[in-house]
Amino acid sequence: MIGMKCFLPIIVLSAATASHAGELVSYSKIGTVTSAYAINALKTRGTPTFSLPAVSKPIDVYKVRYRSRAVDGRPVTLSGMVALPQGGAPKGVVVFYHGTTADRNYVPSRYNCTDTPGESEAAVVIFGSGGYAVFMPDYLGLGDDKS
């Protein structure tokens, strides 16, 4: 299996290029979305499954923190979530920007892999099940950033 240390910097830096990306500060495993959970989430949330790939591998989910710059140029440390399907290199990377929220509890880095329906779960289950790595940044002022 290809190590997490190999993929996280590539995913975070490539996804954050437009916002003056910097270095990966830290990452920690949030949990794992099992195949059974992913299948159940697709069924119970009413997701049309006719065009989705079969769910066959668990998906590891990580909280990441990385350096960037705010609009005014000052340095900030931002947070986000990275999901990687188990079993080797992903097919590609999906950068998913969530809808607007004013509640820090619903940003991607707060996703807990269990019973938290919403955009984070949908992106992890749908794209991760298809073999893609998923990066979901928290927006400036949300997640770990308090500015």
Side-chain angles (χ1 to χ4, degrees):
M1 182 169 146
I2 297 174
M4 183 64 189
K5 287 184 179 182
C6 176
F7 280 110
L8 272 177
I10 294 167
I11 292 169
V12 171
L13 294 177
S14 65
T17 300
S19 57
H20 309 289
E23 66 186 279
L24 179 66
V25 174
S26 66
Y27 68 91
S28 58
K29 188 171 181 180
I30 295 170
T32 300
V33 174
T34 65
S35 300
Y37 182 86
I39 291 167
N40 186 55
L42 290 172
K43 287 180 183 175
T44 60
R45 312 277 192 257
T47 306
T49 57
F50 56 85
S51 63
L52 296 177
V55 177
S56 61
K57 297 179 182 176
I59 305 157
D60 291 326
V61 180
Y62 298 84
K63 176 180 179 175
V64 295
R65 296 179 67 237
Y66 58 98
R67 298 195 199 291
S68 189
R69 295 204 176 268
V71 176
D72 62 6
R74 66 187 161 76
V76 292
T77 299
L78 300 176
S79 54
M81 181 263 293
V82 172
L84 295 172
Q86 292 180 0
K91 292 179 181 177
V93 177
V94 173
V95 180
F96 188 98
Y97 293 94
H98 64 84
T100 303
T101 182
D103 189 336
R104 288 185 201 283
N105 294 318
Y106 295 106
V107 298
S109 67
R110 301 292 196 267
Y111 175 61
N112 66 12
C113 300
T114 58
D115 209 22
T116 51
E119 287 180 290
S120 297
E121 178 182 86
V124 168
V125 170
I126 292 170
F127 295 114
S129 296
Y132 292 89
V134 180
F135 176 64
M136 294 183 71
D138 297 335
Y139 295 144
L140 186 65
L142 294 172
D144 290 354
D145 179 56
K146 306 286 193 272
S147 57

